[in-house]
Amino acid sequence: MSLRWKDSVRFDKLHGAIVLALMRAERIFEDAGEDCWITSGNDSEHMVGSKHYDGRAVDLRLHHITNTATRTLVVSRLRAALGPEYTLLHEDPGKPDEHAHLQFNGV
C-alpha cells in the first residue's frame, strides 16, 4: 500500500506538519490494507478561510474502503495519532465523496 494522489492535487506551500501527518496517515491506511489517497491539497474550491489555501489542510479519500468498520477504524486511528494540534473531520459518510479532512491548527 502507498501514499497516492489525484493528478489535480496541488501541494503549493504545504506545511511541514501536514507532511508529517501524511506519513502517519500512510501507515494507518497501510495497516488497514488500503492505499492512502490525497484528493485535495490547496487546489479546487474550498470555503472562505479554509486552511487548504495556506497548505495546512488536505483531504483523504475514504469511500474506496469498502468495509464501513474499517473506514471508522482508520478515522479513529488518525485522530488518535495526530493529537490536539490537528482537526480530523469525517465528511460525507456513506456518500460517493466520503473523505477525511485533515487540518493542522498549530503555528
Side-chain angles (χ1 to χ4, degrees):
M1 303 297 113
S2 61
L3 183 63
R4 306 178 68 167
W5 51 89
K6 291 175 23 179
D7 290 339
S8 60
V9 174
R10 287 184 33 216
F11 297 107
D12 302 349
K13 301 185 264 178
L14 196 61
H15 193 281
I18 291 294
V19 174
L20 294 174
L22 288 170
M23 292 168 64
R24 287 190 176 178
E26 179 182 23
R27 180 59 186 247
I28 290 165
F29 275 81
E30 182 179 303
D31 288 348
E34 301 288 345
D35 284 330
C36 180
W37 276 92
I38 304 167
T39 58
S40 185
N42 62 347
D43 49 276
S44 65
E45 290 185 30
H46 302 281
M47 50 188 243
V48 174
S50 170
K51 299 221 183 234
H52 280 276
Y53 295 120
D54 61 3
R56 292 174 179 262
V58 293
D59 291 334
L60 304 176
R61 179 179 294 159
L62 292 173
H63 65 82
H64 70 295
I65 303 173
T66 56
N67 183 292
T68 303
T70 302
R71 279 196 306 269
T72 302
L73 183 63
V74 165
V75 170
S76 176
R77 287 186 175 166
L78 281 168
R79 278 194 187 112
L82 295 174
E85 288 195 311
Y86 293 86
T87 297
L88 187 87
L89 303 174
H90 186 175
E91 297 188 333
D92 301 317
K95 296 183 179 172
D97 60 345
E98 182 175 5
H99 65 280
H101 171 82
L102 190 163
Q103 174 176 306
F104 178 64
N105 302 309
V107 180

